[in-house]
């Protein structure tokens, strides 16, 4: 049984789309990516899992406990970072975090260590913080009580590149301690760098759950061909997914028989060819355009 088990989870709204029949599970110690553009249903899934909104169908468990019946018990062991962080503006950061810590047995040291790592001034008022610094408060709050499961919704928004790097280091350290991480993002290179497996969500429906390696290795290849003048052919091969011409250079995604591709290339005069693994971005676009 996974740390998170989601079965046919559905949340319908009257006017906008929610999520439909979402099914996946997350194993202990895994960094699980959840990707899709804004509005695809990522936050709805997360908020349903945390019982902030009530599912209209299906079920889910976290640590084997039911997300609706045992929500309170579950939350004690979950660290959650929402995509938008809202706080009482006139509080000082230290007061807010001390208040949060009071619900758990958290050492002062842990609070100060995390704030130091993230270069966060805990003696400032929240209203004086930039969006990036508010995000850091959210990260400290999520990690403070050493949760067994971290749920991160667009966690790097507002962080500068150096701070993103520190944040990734923190996440990987937590994972070494055995923490399970659910990482929701529309920034694909982050997901590719950090995650073991990834679920792609489109218009409220899960369209693929796969290891990063399988997604980027198995099917598609990224092919670039530079033709000699006048040598361009229409490349009507089965398995050409997406093709673009730029002068005498053609780029495409290919998932057909490699031998057929090589045979066709062999019959043409070409200046250069490269065949590489696609990025997660390529794969993602492929799923989204289908």
């Amino acid at each position: 049984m996974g740390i998170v088990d989601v079965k046919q989870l559905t949340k319908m709204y009257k006017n906008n789309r929610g999520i439909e029949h979402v099914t996946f599970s997350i194993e202990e110690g895994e960094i699980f990516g959840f990707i899709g553009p804004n509005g695809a249903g990522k936050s709805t899934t997360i908020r349903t899992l945390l019982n902030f909104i009530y599912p209209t169908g299906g079920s889910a468990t976290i640590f084997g406990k039911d997300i609706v019946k045992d929500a309170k018990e579950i939350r004690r062991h979950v660290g959650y970072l929402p995509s938008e962080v809202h706080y009482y503006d006139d509080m000082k950061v230290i007061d807010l975090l001390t208040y949060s810590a009071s619900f758990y047995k958290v050492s002062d040291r842990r609070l100060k260590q995390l704030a130091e790592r993230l270069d966060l001034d805990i003696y400032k008022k929240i209203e004086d913080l930039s969006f990036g610094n508010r995000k850091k408060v959210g990260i400290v709050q999520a990690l403070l009580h050493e949760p067994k499961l971290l749920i991160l919704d667009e966690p790097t928004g507002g962080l500068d590149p150096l701070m993103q790097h520190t944040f990734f280091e923190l996440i990987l350290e937590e994972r070494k301690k055995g923490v399970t991480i659910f990482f929701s993002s529309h920034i694909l290179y982050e997901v590719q760098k950090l995650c073991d497996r990834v679920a792609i969500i489109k218009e409220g429906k899960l369209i693929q759950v796969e290891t990063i390696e399988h997604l980027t290795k198995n099917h598609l290849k990224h092919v670039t061909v530079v033709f000699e003048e006048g040598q361009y052919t229409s490349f009507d091969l089965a398995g050409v997914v997406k093709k673009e011409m730029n002068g005498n250079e053609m780029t495409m995604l290919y998932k057909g028989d490699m031998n057929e591709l090589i045979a066709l290339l062999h019959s043409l005069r070409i200046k250069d060819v490269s065949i590489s693994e696609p990025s997660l971005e390529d794969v993602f676009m492929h799923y989204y355009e289908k």
Side-chain angles (χ1 to χ4, degrees):
M1 193 175 197
I3 289 286
V4 177
D5 266 305
V6 181
K7 292 192 174 82
Q8 302 286 323
L9 195 64
T10 300
K11 171 67 186 173
M12 298 305 252
Y13 294 107
K14 270 205 185 87
N15 301 328
N16 22 0
R17 195 182 48 231
I19 52 168
E20 282 180 72
H21 309 300
V22 168
T23 299
F24 63 87
S25 71
I26 305 176
E27 301 306 314
E28 187 166 1
E30 181 172 37
I31 302 185
F32 187 86
F34 197 46
I35 58 174
N38 293 330
K42 300 190 301 295
S43 291
T44 300
T45 305
I46 286 172
R47 293 173 64 201
T48 309
L49 284 176
L50 289 167
N51 200 39
F52 298 146
I53 52 180
Y54 197 79
T56 41
S59 64
T61 60
I62 295 179
F63 315 122
K65 297 175 165 55
D66 182 86
I67 56 163
V68 177
K69 288 203 294 268
D70 307 313
K72 238 175 149 173
E73 174 59 25
I74 288 168
R75 275 187 216 158
R76 290 179 45 194
H77 303 289
V78 172
Y80 168 54
L81 176 66
S83 55
E84 300 279 326
V85 189
H86 300 291
Y87 294 122
Y88 302 111
D89 276 0
D90 57 350
M91 272 179 112
K92 279 187 178 161
V93 173
I94 181 74
D95 298 333
L96 175 84
L97 292 174
T98 308
Y99 177 66
S100 294
S102 69
F103 291 96
Y104 309 93
K105 293 188 181 76
V106 175
S107 71
D108 234 18
R109 204 167 131 244
R110 168 92 172 156
L111 194 163
K112 296 221 163 93
Q113 269 174 345
L114 286 168
E116 228 164 82
R117 282 287 292 279
L118 292 165
D119 196 20
L120 173 66
D121 181 350
I122 53 177
Y123 297 104
K124 272 193 169 167
K125 275 194 164 183
I126 285 166
E127 64 188 349
D128 297 332
L129 298 182
S130 66
F131 176 62
N133 279 318
R134 282 173 185 240
K135 202 63 175 239
K136 292 179 194 176
V137 177
I139 294 167
V140 174
Q141 203 174 25
L143 291 169
L144 201 51
H145 58 297
E146 308 200 38
K148 293 189 220 159
L149 171 67
L150 269 175
I151 296 182
L152 310 170
D153 194 358
E154 302 285 351
T156 59
L159 299 181
D160 65 54
L162 268 174
M163 200 38 73
Q164 287 183 18
H165 182 72
T166 305
F167 171 70
F168 292 146
E169 280 179 346
L170 269 175
I171 292 308
L172 292 170
E173 284 163 27
E174 289 302 307
R175 187 237 186 110
K176 270 193 186 135
K177 298 181 199 163
V179 174
T180 305
I181 296 153
F182 183 34
F183 189 105
S184 168
S185 178
H186 68 280
I187 301 169
L188 299 176
Y189 84 89
E190 295 185 347
V191 173
Q192 184 157 5
K193 198 162 75 176
L194 281 179
C195 298
D196 306 296
R197 284 190 307 142
V198 63
I200 299 176
I201 188 167
K202 176 180 180 179
E203 293 169 2
K205 293 183 175 134
L206 222 53
I207 51 176
Q208 186 80 347
V209 181
E210 214 27 282
T211 63
I212 294 275
E213 197 180 13
H214 185 89
L215 269 183
T216 51
K217 280 215 163 90
N218 250 13
H219 307 301
L220 295 167
K221 290 278 183 274
H222 197 276
V223 181
T224 304
V225 183
V226 182
F227 295 99
E228 285 191 358
E229 291 308 320
Q231 276 293 315
Y232 173 64
T233 169
S234 62
F235 247 83
D236 290 327
L237 277 182
V240 174
V241 174
K242 188 175 157 214
K243 186 169 61 177
E244 275 172 26
M245 251 344 254
N246 189 1
N248 62 340
E249 181 178 298
M250 183 190 74
T251 54
M252 65 177 182
L253 287 176
Y254 182 68
K255 63 167 189 181
D257 185 331
M258 267 304 164
N259 297 301
E260 285 175 22
L261 176 65
I262 304 292
L264 178 54
L265 290 171
H266 183 64
S267 71
L268 299 166
R269 302 283 308 158
I270 57 176
K271 281 185 179 169
D272 196 10
V273 64
S274 77
I275 299 173
S276 58
E277 301 298 349
S279 67
L280 189 58
E281 193 110 18
D282 290 327
V283 176
F284 185 73
M285 292 318 295
H286 169 55
Y287 278 109
Y288 255 75
E289 282 164 1
K290 266 200 222 174

